[in-house]
Amino acid sequence: MLKVRNISKTFNPGTINEKKAIDGLNLSLKEGDFVTVIGGNGAGKSSLLNAVAGVWPVDSGSIELAGEDITGLPEYKRAKLIGRVFQDPMMGTAPDMWIEENLAIAMRRGEKRTLKWMVTKQDRELYRERLSELGLGLEDRLQVKVGLLSGGQRQALTLLMATLKSPKLLLLDEHTAALDPATAAKVLELSDSVVERNNLTTLMITHNMTDAIRHGNRLIMMNAGHIILDIEGEEKRHLTKKELLDKFAEVAGHQEETDAVLLS
Amino acid sequence: MNFLNLLSRMPSACAQGILWGLMALGVYITFRVLDIADLSVDGTFATGGAVTVMLIIAGFPAWLALLIAILAGIAAGLCTGLLHTKLGIPAILSGILTQFALYSVNLHIMGMKANQTASLKKYGMIFENGKGFLVSSRYIPAAIGVGFAIACIVIFILYRYFGTEQGSAIRATGSNAAMASAQGININNMKVLGLSISNGIVALSGGLMTQFQGTADVNIGRGAIVIGLASIIIGEVFCDIFFRKGANFAVRMTFVIFGGVLYYVAMTVILWLKMDPNDLKLFTAIIVAIFLAVPYLKNQAKTSFGRAAKMAANGKGEK
Ligand SMILES: Nc1ncnc2c1ncn2[C@@H]1O[C@H](COP(=O)(O)OP(=O)(O)OP(=O)(O)O)[C@@H](O)[C@H]1O
Ligand SMILES: [Mg+2]
């Protein structure tokens, strides 16, 4: 489904702020794979998702999604294949527009925007139905500005918008990190059920090891722009938090060593 | 300083207010919907006037001259939009560049003269011969009626347009560009589109204003952006008073026109009070600055470091 071949990305090349965010990364996802992504701050997790979503072009390598080479497509053209939820609950919705208008925009993701009236009666029925599945009471508030919703409500709405038109790939970037524990659990549960129901191919970044183990069928760990651990299936199911933390510490410790060498 | 004299000036103030309100509607699209401060309008307003007058002199019916003026405005907006999105120049600077360039362009349109007159006597009114002026300062009640009708048509079209898929994509771009991109909207195209529509409306307003006065002047648009902002802000204040926050888009646009009228009424009163007309721009700028600052200051009053310090000093913070 997704084939990322040997991609690299360096930010601010040739300046003192030069930073190699992704370094010759390879990743291949089968249809229906639900992959959790972990790694320390600055490991390149968000950069991987941004590269796939087309926020900026990669320096080298290629990206193929659903049999189509998308390496040269800008973000708005890839959007027809990709649904996204961001870490910041403010980022995924238009605050000045109604709930139903936000959904209508998502309903036409990747399509040409015509001069047809945007929210039709039958659309509205569909929105109501899908909103009620969130269990947040939003189905009665179709004509409320999204800016008035709480972070958790907005994040749940963004999740619905990302999957309203079933995407080939769903990208979740720490999408529950800004929510309180109860709301985070609820949004995570919603994510699980929507992924399962639509058999969505998914990449989910999280800093929560337990979540990373419990969700999905495959887990990757990133460090310094590489994938350093890739566990799936049976092995992942038996993975313990301790093993993962040890692995994590091993990588971090290794990094400290190199830092020490550099400083000495 | 008699009051009757002031009253007698009011109809003209209303007529001009409606025509300038139309201009403010154009500014509203960029400033509020697209969240861009577009300074090209000062130039576009004059362009609309120049094109209209020159075409009327060339024998075109006034209504057709207006339609072509709208196209000229759209072209100007397109320039600003392309400077901004294709060449990466910040929006404000793009607008200033277009405005600057339009000064020369407008002079060329007007045969290198700073102003051009089309006399009402020669061309007549549209209801006299079917091709004359749509509005004129000689027929003020008619000007109010025609101005109002045109404003209604423009508001209706904009209301419908911004409810379509395409119009909503422009709104989403202004509201949250990251979301719009992630939903497959080409935000650059939407910005160009919005700027074009906005400047088209501004040129229409400029064309009507020159018909009203019978002359096009290369400097007529100077400060148009500030008048536009003033109208928008005055309109919003009254809209919030009457409708709280619940007004729909059409109502809010109507209040922008109303804001233009109030602005002109206020200016007329100030002139009637025998204040120096040269000070009008200073007054306008101060009023706009105050109203733009109000939302910020209101917020500051609720949460500011100064307040926090006071609360702490009074011991209220601990409760
Ligand atoms: N747009 C950008 N411009 C410049 N540098 C960037 C940009 N995006 C990411 N980086 C840099 O690339 C590196 C990887 O960042 P990235 O956001 O991918 O990390 P991450 O794994 O998502 O970390 P976190 O867990 O903190 O979110 C960091 O050093 C970051 O500063
Ligand atoms: Mg990140």
Short mmCIF file of all heavy atoms in Angstrom, two decimals, chain A residues 75-76 79 82 84 86 90-97 101-102 105-106 108-110 112-119 145 161-162, chain B residues 32 159-169 171-172 174-176 178-187 189-190 245 248 252:
data_model
loop_
_atom_site.label_atom_id
_atom_site.label_comp_id
_atom_site.label_asym_id
_atom_site.label_seq_id
_atom_site.Cartn_x
_atom_site.Cartn_y
_atom_site.Cartn_z
N GLU A 75 1.11 18.72 -1.31
CA GLU A 75 0.23 18.26 -0.24
C GLU A 75 -1.25 18.20 -0.67
O GLU A 75 -1.93 17.21 -0.45
CB GLU A 75 0.39 19.20 0.96
CG GLU A 75 -0.47 18.82 2.16
CD GLU A 75 -0.27 19.79 3.33
OE1 GLU A 75 0.33 20.86 3.14
OE2 GLU A 75 -0.72 19.46 4.43
N TYR A 76 -1.73 19.29 -1.30
CA TYR A 76 -3.16 19.33 -1.60
C TYR A 76 -3.57 18.29 -2.62
O TYR A 76 -4.73 17.90 -2.68
CB TYR A 76 -3.59 20.74 -2.02
CG TYR A 76 -3.15 21.18 -3.39
CD1 TYR A 76 -3.97 20.93 -4.50
CD2 TYR A 76 -1.95 21.82 -3.60
CE1 TYR A 76 -3.59 21.33 -5.77
CE2 TYR A 76 -1.56 22.22 -4.86
CZ TYR A 76 -2.37 21.97 -5.94
OH TYR A 76 -1.98 22.35 -7.19
N ALA A 79 -3.84 14.86 -0.84
CA ALA A 79 -4.89 14.80 0.17
C ALA A 79 -6.02 13.85 -0.21
O ALA A 79 -6.71 13.33 0.66
CB ALA A 79 -5.45 16.20 0.43
N ILE A 82 -4.96 10.70 1.46
CA ILE A 82 -4.45 10.70 2.83
C ILE A 82 -5.35 11.49 3.78
O ILE A 82 -5.74 12.62 3.48
CB ILE A 82 -3.03 11.31 2.86
CG1 ILE A 82 -2.07 10.44 2.03
CG2 ILE A 82 -2.52 11.43 4.29
CD1 ILE A 82 -0.68 11.03 1.89
N ARG A 84 -5.52 13.04 7.74
CA ARG A 84 -4.54 13.36 8.79
C ARG A 84 -5.19 13.94 10.02
O ARG A 84 -6.14 14.70 9.95
CB ARG A 84 -3.54 14.40 8.27
CG ARG A 84 -2.64 13.90 7.20
CD ARG A 84 -1.86 15.05 6.63
NE ARG A 84 -0.77 15.43 7.51
CZ ARG A 84 -0.08 16.55 7.37
NH1 ARG A 84 -0.41 17.41 6.44
NH2 ARG A 84 0.91 16.81 8.17
N PHE A 86 -3.66 16.03 13.45
CA PHE A 86 -2.43 16.62 13.97
C PHE A 86 -2.38 16.56 15.49
O PHE A 86 -3.38 16.28 16.15
CB PHE A 86 -2.34 18.09 13.55
CG PHE A 86 -2.53 18.31 12.08
CD1 PHE A 86 -3.79 18.55 11.55
CD2 PHE A 86 -1.44 18.29 11.22
CE1 PHE A 86 -3.97 18.77 10.19
CE2 PHE A 86 -1.61 18.51 9.86
CZ PHE A 86 -2.88 18.75 9.35
N MET A 90 -6.07 22.50 17.35
CA MET A 90 -6.50 23.68 16.60
C MET A 90 -6.20 23.53 15.11
O MET A 90 -6.72 24.27 14.29
CB MET A 90 -5.77 24.94 17.10
CG MET A 90 -5.97 25.24 18.57
SD MET A 90 -7.71 25.46 18.92
CE MET A 90 -7.82 24.73 20.54
N MET A 91 -5.33 22.60 14.76
CA MET A 91 -4.81 22.58 13.40
C MET A 91 -5.70 21.88 12.38
O MET A 91 -5.61 22.17 11.19
CB MET A 91 -3.44 21.90 13.40
CG MET A 91 -2.35 22.84 12.93
SD MET A 91 -0.78 22.03 13.09
CE MET A 91 -0.36 21.84 11.37
N GLY A 92 -6.57 21.00 12.85
CA GLY A 92 -7.28 20.15 11.90
C GLY A 92 -8.63 20.66 11.45
O GLY A 92 -9.27 20.06 10.57
N THR A 93 -9.12 21.77 12.05
CA THR A 93 -10.46 22.24 11.73
C THR A 93 -10.42 23.75 11.48
O THR A 93 -9.51 24.43 11.93
CB THR A 93 -11.43 21.97 12.89
OG1 THR A 93 -10.80 22.37 14.11
CG2 THR A 93 -11.78 20.51 12.99
N ALA A 94 -11.45 24.24 10.77
CA ALA A 94 -11.55 25.68 10.52
C ALA A 94 -12.46 26.29 11.60
O ALA A 94 -13.66 26.05 11.59
CB ALA A 94 -12.11 25.95 9.14
N PRO A 95 -11.89 27.07 12.53
CA PRO A 95 -12.66 27.52 13.69
C PRO A 95 -13.81 28.47 13.35
O PRO A 95 -14.80 28.51 14.07
CB PRO A 95 -11.61 28.25 14.55
CG PRO A 95 -10.52 28.61 13.60
CD PRO A 95 -10.50 27.53 12.57
N ASP A 96 -13.70 29.22 12.24
CA ASP A 96 -14.73 30.19 11.91
C ASP A 96 -15.90 29.58 11.15
O ASP A 96 -16.82 30.27 10.76
CB ASP A 96 -14.14 31.33 11.06
CG ASP A 96 -12.97 31.98 11.77
OD1 ASP A 96 -13.11 32.30 12.95
OD2 ASP A 96 -11.90 32.13 11.14
N MET A 97 -15.82 28.27 10.90
CA MET A 97 -16.88 27.64 10.12
C MET A 97 -17.64 26.65 10.99
O MET A 97 -17.15 26.15 11.99
CB MET A 97 -16.28 26.96 8.89
CG MET A 97 -15.58 27.97 7.99
SD MET A 97 -14.70 27.24 6.61
CE MET A 97 -16.06 26.91 5.49
N GLU A 101 -20.09 22.59 7.98
CA GLU A 101 -19.27 23.12 6.88
C GLU A 101 -17.90 22.46 6.87
O GLU A 101 -17.36 22.13 5.82
CB GLU A 101 -19.14 24.64 7.00
CG GLU A 101 -20.44 25.37 6.74
CD GLU A 101 -20.35 26.86 7.01
OE1 GLU A 101 -19.60 27.28 7.93
OE2 GLU A 101 -21.02 27.61 6.32
N ASN A 102 -17.34 22.26 8.06
CA ASN A 102 -16.06 21.56 8.15
C ASN A 102 -16.19 20.15 7.58
O ASN A 102 -15.33 19.69 6.83
CB ASN A 102 -15.60 21.49 9.61
CG ASN A 102 -14.77 22.69 10.02
OD1 ASN A 102 -13.56 22.73 9.83
ND2 ASN A 102 -15.42 23.72 10.54
N ILE A 105 -16.40 20.17 3.83
CA ILE A 105 -15.09 20.35 3.20
C ILE A 105 -14.33 19.03 3.16
O ILE A 105 -13.70 18.67 2.17
CB ILE A 105 -14.30 21.45 3.94
CG1 ILE A 105 -14.84 22.81 3.50
CG2 ILE A 105 -12.81 21.34 3.66
CD1 ILE A 105 -14.22 23.97 4.17
N ALA A 106 -14.42 18.28 4.26
CA ALA A 106 -13.74 16.99 4.34
C ALA A 106 -14.38 15.97 3.40
O ALA A 106 -13.71 15.10 2.85
CB ALA A 106 -13.78 16.47 5.77
N ARG A 108 -15.40 16.43 0.55
CA ARG A 108 -14.91 16.62 -0.83
C ARG A 108 -13.39 16.66 -0.88
O ARG A 108 -12.81 17.27 -1.78
CB ARG A 108 -15.52 17.90 -1.40
CG ARG A 108 -16.99 17.72 -1.70
CD ARG A 108 -17.73 19.02 -1.82
NE ARG A 108 -19.17 18.79 -1.91
CZ ARG A 108 -19.93 18.47 -0.87
NH1 ARG A 108 -19.41 18.35 0.34
NH2 ARG A 108 -21.23 18.27 -1.02
N ARG A 109 -12.76 16.03 0.08
CA ARG A 109 -11.31 16.00 0.11
C ARG A 109 -10.76 15.45 -1.20
O ARG A 109 -11.14 14.36 -1.63
CB ARG A 109 -10.83 15.14 1.29
CG ARG A 109 -9.32 15.03 1.40
CD ARG A 109 -8.86 14.62 2.80
NE ARG A 109 -9.66 13.57 3.39
CZ ARG A 109 -9.57 12.29 3.05
NH1 ARG A 109 -8.70 11.91 2.16
NH2 ARG A 109 -10.34 11.41 3.63
N GLY A 110 -9.89 16.23 -1.82
CA GLY A 110 -9.24 15.78 -3.05
C GLY A 110 -10.12 15.90 -4.29
O GLY A 110 -9.69 15.55 -5.37
N LYS A 112 -12.53 18.32 -6.99
CA LYS A 112 -12.59 19.70 -7.48
C LYS A 112 -13.70 20.43 -6.72
O LYS A 112 -14.76 19.88 -6.48
CB LYS A 112 -12.91 19.68 -8.98
CG LYS A 112 -12.49 20.95 -9.68
CD LYS A 112 -12.56 20.75 -11.19
CE LYS A 112 -12.80 22.04 -11.94
NZ LYS A 112 -12.17 23.22 -11.43
N ARG A 113 -13.41 21.66 -6.33
CA ARG A 113 -14.42 22.45 -5.61
C ARG A 113 -15.26 23.19 -6.62
O ARG A 113 -14.78 24.11 -7.28
CB ARG A 113 -13.76 23.42 -4.64
CG ARG A 113 -12.68 22.80 -3.77
CD ARG A 113 -13.23 22.15 -2.53
NE ARG A 113 -12.24 21.23 -1.95
CZ ARG A 113 -12.39 20.65 -0.77
NH1 ARG A 113 -13.45 20.87 -0.04
NH2 ARG A 113 -11.48 19.81 -0.32
N THR A 114 -16.50 22.79 -6.77
CA THR A 114 -17.36 23.35 -7.81
C THR A 114 -18.22 24.48 -7.26
O THR A 114 -18.05 24.91 -6.13
CB THR A 114 -18.29 22.27 -8.35
OG1 THR A 114 -19.20 21.92 -7.30
CG2 THR A 114 -17.51 21.04 -8.78
N LEU A 115 -19.15 24.94 -8.08
CA LEU A 115 -20.07 26.00 -7.65
C LEU A 115 -21.38 25.42 -7.14
O LEU A 115 -22.39 26.10 -7.08
CB LEU A 115 -20.31 26.98 -8.81
CG LEU A 115 -19.06 27.79 -9.18
CD1 LEU A 115 -19.33 28.71 -10.36
CD2 LEU A 115 -18.58 28.62 -7.98
N LYS A 116 -21.35 24.14 -6.77
CA LYS A 116 -22.54 23.53 -6.17
C LYS A 116 -22.68 23.97 -4.71
O LYS A 116 -21.68 24.19 -4.03
CB LYS A 116 -22.45 22.01 -6.25
CG LYS A 116 -22.83 21.46 -7.60
CD LYS A 116 -23.31 20.01 -7.50
CE LYS A 116 -22.22 19.01 -7.34
NZ LYS A 116 -21.46 18.52 -8.43
N TRP A 117 -23.90 24.06 -4.24
CA TRP A 117 -24.15 24.37 -2.84
C TRP A 117 -23.45 23.34 -1.97
O TRP A 117 -23.49 22.15 -2.29
CB TRP A 117 -25.66 24.38 -2.58
CG TRP A 117 -26.04 25.12 -1.35
CD1 TRP A 117 -26.58 24.58 -0.22
CD2 TRP A 117 -25.92 26.53 -1.10
NE1 TRP A 117 -26.79 25.57 0.71
CE2 TRP A 117 -26.40 26.76 0.21
CE3 TRP A 117 -25.43 27.60 -1.85
CZ2 TRP A 117 -26.42 28.04 0.77
CZ3 TRP A 117 -25.45 28.87 -1.28
CH2 TRP A 117 -25.93 29.07 0.02
N MET A 118 -22.82 23.77 -0.89
CA MET A 118 -21.92 22.87 -0.21
C MET A 118 -22.60 21.85 0.71
O MET A 118 -22.27 20.68 0.67
CB MET A 118 -20.88 23.64 0.59
CG MET A 118 -19.81 22.72 1.10
SD MET A 118 -18.53 23.57 1.95
CE MET A 118 -19.43 24.32 3.25
N VAL A 119 -23.51 22.31 1.55
CA VAL A 119 -24.13 21.38 2.49
C VAL A 119 -25.53 21.03 2.00
O VAL A 119 -26.44 21.86 2.04
CB VAL A 119 -24.22 21.99 3.90
CG1 VAL A 119 -24.72 20.94 4.88
CG2 VAL A 119 -22.87 22.51 4.34
N LYS A 145 -20.14 27.03 15.45
CA LYS A 145 -18.77 27.25 14.98
C LYS A 145 -17.80 26.32 15.72
O LYS A 145 -17.87 26.19 16.95
CB LYS A 145 -18.34 28.69 15.22
CG LYS A 145 -18.84 29.61 14.14
CD LYS A 145 -18.19 30.97 14.23
CE LYS A 145 -18.81 31.90 13.19
NZ LYS A 145 -18.49 33.30 13.46
N MET A 161 -13.35 13.84 10.22
CA MET A 161 -13.11 14.48 8.92
C MET A 161 -12.06 13.74 8.11
O MET A 161 -12.14 13.65 6.88
CB MET A 161 -12.67 15.94 9.14
CG MET A 161 -13.82 16.85 9.57
SD MET A 161 -13.25 18.45 10.18
CE MET A 161 -12.43 19.09 8.74
N ALA A 162 -11.05 13.21 8.82
CA ALA A 162 -9.97 12.51 8.12
C ALA A 162 -10.44 11.20 7.52
O ALA A 162 -9.84 10.69 6.57
CB ALA A 162 -8.81 12.27 9.07
N ARG B 32 -11.49 40.06 6.30
CA ARG B 32 -12.16 39.17 7.25
C ARG B 32 -12.26 37.73 6.77
O ARG B 32 -12.06 36.81 7.56
CB ARG B 32 -13.58 39.69 7.55
CG ARG B 32 -13.62 40.87 8.50
CD ARG B 32 -13.15 40.50 9.91
NE ARG B 32 -13.38 41.59 10.83
CZ ARG B 32 -12.46 42.09 11.65
NH1 ARG B 32 -11.24 41.59 11.66
NH2 ARG B 32 -12.75 43.08 12.47
N TYR B 159 -23.17 36.02 -1.00
CA TYR B 159 -23.74 35.10 -0.03
C TYR B 159 -23.87 33.71 -0.64
O TYR B 159 -23.50 32.70 -0.03
CB TYR B 159 -25.10 35.61 0.46
CG TYR B 159 -25.77 34.68 1.42
CD1 TYR B 159 -25.23 34.47 2.69
CD2 TYR B 159 -26.93 33.99 1.07
CE1 TYR B 159 -25.83 33.60 3.59
CE2 TYR B 159 -27.53 33.13 1.96
CZ TYR B 159 -26.98 32.93 3.22
OH TYR B 159 -27.57 32.07 4.09
N ARG B 160 -24.40 33.67 -1.87
CA ARG B 160 -24.53 32.38 -2.54
C ARG B 160 -23.15 31.77 -2.79
O ARG B 160 -22.91 30.59 -2.52
CB ARG B 160 -25.26 32.53 -3.89
CG ARG B 160 -26.68 33.00 -3.81
CD ARG B 160 -27.60 32.01 -3.16
NE ARG B 160 -27.65 30.72 -3.85
CZ ARG B 160 -28.56 29.79 -3.60
NH1 ARG B 160 -29.47 29.98 -2.67
NH2 ARG B 160 -28.54 28.66 -4.25
N TYR B 161 -22.26 32.59 -3.32
CA TYR B 161 -20.94 32.08 -3.69
C TYR B 161 -20.20 31.48 -2.50
O TYR B 161 -19.63 30.39 -2.59
CB TYR B 161 -20.10 33.19 -4.34
CG TYR B 161 -18.72 32.72 -4.74
CD1 TYR B 161 -18.55 31.83 -5.79
CD2 TYR B 161 -17.60 33.14 -4.04
CE1 TYR B 161 -17.30 31.38 -6.15
CE2 TYR B 161 -16.33 32.69 -4.39
CZ TYR B 161 -16.19 31.81 -5.44
OH TYR B 161 -14.94 31.36 -5.78
N PHE B 162 -20.22 32.18 -1.38
CA PHE B 162 -19.46 31.66 -0.23
C PHE B 162 -20.16 30.49 0.46
O PHE B 162 -19.63 29.93 1.41
CB PHE B 162 -19.12 32.80 0.74
CG PHE B 162 -17.97 33.64 0.25
CD1 PHE B 162 -18.20 34.90 -0.27
CD2 PHE B 162 -16.69 33.14 0.25
CE1 PHE B 162 -17.14 35.67 -0.75
CE2 PHE B 162 -15.63 33.89 -0.24
CZ PHE B 162 -15.85 35.15 -0.74
N GLY B 163 -21.33 30.13 -0.06
CA GLY B 163 -21.97 28.91 0.42
C GLY B 163 -21.70 27.72 -0.50
O GLY B 163 -22.08 26.60 -0.21
N THR B 164 -21.02 27.98 -1.63
CA THR B 164 -20.71 26.87 -2.54
C THR B 164 -19.42 26.17 -2.10
O THR B 164 -18.73 26.64 -1.20
CB THR B 164 -20.49 27.36 -3.99
OG1 THR B 164 -19.31 28.18 -4.01
CG2 THR B 164 -21.68 28.16 -4.50
N GLU B 165 -19.13 25.06 -2.76
CA GLU B 165 -17.91 24.32 -2.43
C GLU B 165 -16.69 25.19 -2.59
O GLU B 165 -15.79 25.21 -1.75
CB GLU B 165 -17.80 23.09 -3.34
CG GLU B 165 -18.89 22.06 -3.09
CD GLU B 165 -18.87 20.94 -4.12
OE1 GLU B 165 -17.95 20.88 -4.95
OE2 GLU B 165 -19.80 20.12 -4.09
N GLN B 166 -16.67 25.95 -3.71
CA GLN B 166 -15.50 26.78 -3.99
C GLN B 166 -15.38 27.93 -2.99
O GLN B 166 -14.32 28.18 -2.43
CB GLN B 166 -15.61 27.33 -5.41
CG GLN B 166 -14.31 27.81 -5.96
CD GLN B 166 -14.51 28.30 -7.39
OE1 GLN B 166 -15.02 29.39 -7.59
NE2 GLN B 166 -14.12 27.50 -8.35
N GLY B 167 -16.51 28.61 -2.76
CA GLY B 167 -16.50 29.73 -1.81
C GLY B 167 -16.10 29.26 -0.42
O GLY B 167 -15.35 29.93 0.29
N SER B 168 -16.58 28.09 -0.03
CA SER B 168 -16.23 27.55 1.28
C SER B 168 -14.74 27.23 1.36
O SER B 168 -14.13 27.35 2.42
CB SER B 168 -17.02 26.29 1.57
OG SER B 168 -18.39 26.58 1.51
N ALA B 169 -14.18 26.82 0.23
CA ALA B 169 -12.75 26.52 0.21
C ALA B 169 -11.96 27.81 0.47
O ALA B 169 -10.93 27.79 1.15
CB ALA B 169 -12.35 25.90 -1.13
N ARG B 171 -13.09 30.33 2.26
CA ARG B 171 -13.27 30.62 3.69
C ARG B 171 -12.38 29.74 4.54
O ARG B 171 -11.78 30.20 5.52
CB ARG B 171 -14.74 30.41 4.08
CG ARG B 171 -15.63 31.52 3.56
CD ARG B 171 -17.09 31.12 3.61
NE ARG B 171 -17.52 30.79 4.97
CZ ARG B 171 -18.52 29.95 5.24
NH1 ARG B 171 -19.17 29.35 4.26
NH2 ARG B 171 -18.86 29.72 6.48
N ALA B 172 -12.29 28.46 4.19
CA ALA B 172 -11.44 27.55 4.96
C ALA B 172 -9.98 27.99 4.89
O ALA B 172 -9.26 27.95 5.89
CB ALA B 172 -11.59 26.13 4.44
N GLY B 174 -8.87 31.01 4.61
CA GLY B 174 -8.69 32.15 5.51
C GLY B 174 -8.77 31.75 6.97
O GLY B 174 -8.08 32.33 7.82
N SER B 175 -9.58 30.74 7.27
CA SER B 175 -9.79 30.35 8.65
C SER B 175 -8.65 29.49 9.19
O SER B 175 -8.21 29.67 10.33
CB SER B 175 -11.11 29.59 8.77
OG SER B 175 -11.38 29.25 10.10
N ASN B 176 -8.17 28.54 8.38
CA ASN B 176 -7.09 27.66 8.81
C ASN B 176 -6.42 27.03 7.59
O ASN B 176 -6.88 26.03 7.05
CB ASN B 176 -7.65 26.56 9.74
CG ASN B 176 -6.57 25.64 10.27
OD1 ASN B 176 -5.42 25.69 9.81
ND2 ASN B 176 -6.92 24.81 11.21
N ALA B 178 -3.65 25.38 7.21
CA ALA B 178 -3.11 24.02 7.36
C ALA B 178 -4.22 23.00 7.14
O ALA B 178 -4.03 21.99 6.46
CB ALA B 178 -2.50 23.85 8.76
N MET B 179 -5.40 23.28 7.72
CA MET B 179 -6.54 22.39 7.53
C MET B 179 -6.95 22.34 6.06
O MET B 179 -7.20 21.26 5.52
CB MET B 179 -7.69 22.87 8.42
CG MET B 179 -9.01 22.19 8.18
SD MET B 179 -10.00 23.06 6.95
CE MET B 179 -11.59 22.30 7.24
N ALA B 180 -7.00 23.50 5.43
CA ALA B 180 -7.42 23.55 4.03
C ALA B 180 -6.49 22.71 3.16
O ALA B 180 -6.94 21.91 2.34
CB ALA B 180 -7.44 25.00 3.54
N SER B 181 -5.18 22.84 3.37
CA SER B 181 -4.22 22.04 2.61
C SER B 181 -4.42 20.56 2.85
O SER B 181 -4.43 19.77 1.91
CB SER B 181 -2.79 22.40 3.04
OG SER B 181 -2.29 23.42 2.24
N ALA B 182 -4.58 20.20 4.11
CA ALA B 182 -4.74 18.79 4.45
C ALA B 182 -6.03 18.22 3.85
O ALA B 182 -6.15 17.02 3.66
CB ALA B 182 -4.74 18.60 5.96
N GLN B 183 -7.00 19.10 3.56
CA GLN B 183 -8.25 18.64 2.95
C GLN B 183 -8.21 18.76 1.43
O GLN B 183 -9.24 18.71 0.76
CB GLN B 183 -9.44 19.43 3.51
CG GLN B 183 -9.70 19.20 5.00
CD GLN B 183 -10.01 17.75 5.32
OE1 GLN B 183 -10.40 16.97 4.46
NE2 GLN B 183 -9.84 17.37 6.58
N GLY B 184 -7.00 18.97 0.89
CA GLY B 184 -6.86 18.96 -0.56
C GLY B 184 -7.23 20.26 -1.24
O GLY B 184 -7.50 20.28 -2.45
N ILE B 185 -7.26 21.35 -0.49
CA ILE B 185 -7.56 22.65 -1.11
C ILE B 185 -6.25 23.32 -1.50
O ILE B 185 -5.32 23.38 -0.70
CB ILE B 185 -8.35 23.54 -0.11
CG1 ILE B 185 -9.73 22.95 0.13
CG2 ILE B 185 -8.45 24.98 -0.64
CD1 ILE B 185 -10.48 23.58 1.27
N ASN B 186 -6.18 23.81 -2.73
CA ASN B 186 -5.00 24.54 -3.18
C ASN B 186 -5.09 25.96 -2.63
O ASN B 186 -5.75 26.83 -3.21
CB ASN B 186 -4.95 24.54 -4.71
CG ASN B 186 -3.71 25.20 -5.24
OD1 ASN B 186 -3.07 26.00 -4.55
ND2 ASN B 186 -3.36 24.87 -6.46
N ILE B 187 -4.43 26.19 -1.50
CA ILE B 187 -4.66 27.46 -0.80
C ILE B 187 -4.14 28.65 -1.60
O ILE B 187 -4.70 29.74 -1.53
CB ILE B 187 -4.05 27.46 0.62
CG1 ILE B 187 -2.56 27.14 0.59
CG2 ILE B 187 -4.76 26.49 1.53
CD1 ILE B 187 -1.91 27.31 1.95
N ASN B 189 -4.27 29.05 -4.89
CA ASN B 189 -5.31 29.40 -5.85
C ASN B 189 -6.47 30.12 -5.17
O ASN B 189 -7.04 31.06 -5.71
CB ASN B 189 -5.84 28.15 -6.54
CG ASN B 189 -4.91 27.68 -7.64
OD1 ASN B 189 -3.89 28.32 -7.89
ND2 ASN B 189 -5.25 26.58 -8.27
N MET B 190 -6.81 29.67 -3.97
CA MET B 190 -7.93 30.28 -3.26
C MET B 190 -7.61 31.72 -2.89
O MET B 190 -8.48 32.59 -2.94
CB MET B 190 -8.26 29.48 -1.99
CG MET B 190 -8.83 28.12 -2.28
SD MET B 190 -10.29 28.21 -3.33
CE MET B 190 -9.86 27.09 -4.62
N LYS B 245 -23.73 37.63 18.42
CA LYS B 245 -22.78 37.04 17.47
C LYS B 245 -23.52 36.20 16.42
O LYS B 245 -22.90 35.55 15.59
CB LYS B 245 -21.78 36.14 18.22
CG LYS B 245 -20.87 36.92 19.16
CD LYS B 245 -19.70 37.53 18.43
CE LYS B 245 -18.91 38.43 19.35
NZ LYS B 245 -18.04 39.36 18.63
N ASN B 248 -25.94 36.00 10.30
CA ASN B 248 -25.35 35.20 9.22
C ASN B 248 -24.55 36.10 8.29
O ASN B 248 -24.50 37.32 8.44
CB ASN B 248 -26.42 34.38 8.49
CG ASN B 248 -27.25 35.21 7.54
OD1 ASN B 248 -26.94 36.37 7.25
ND2 ASN B 248 -28.33 34.63 7.06
N ARG B 252 -24.19 40.24 7.98
CA ARG B 252 -22.93 40.91 8.31
C ARG B 252 -22.46 41.78 7.14
O ARG B 252 -21.94 42.87 7.34
CB ARG B 252 -21.87 39.87 8.71
CG ARG B 252 -22.01 39.49 10.19
CD ARG B 252 -20.92 38.55 10.64
NE ARG B 252 -21.20 37.20 10.21
CZ ARG B 252 -20.30 36.35 9.77
NH1 ARG B 252 -19.04 36.72 9.72
NH2 ARG B 252 -20.65 35.15 9.43
#
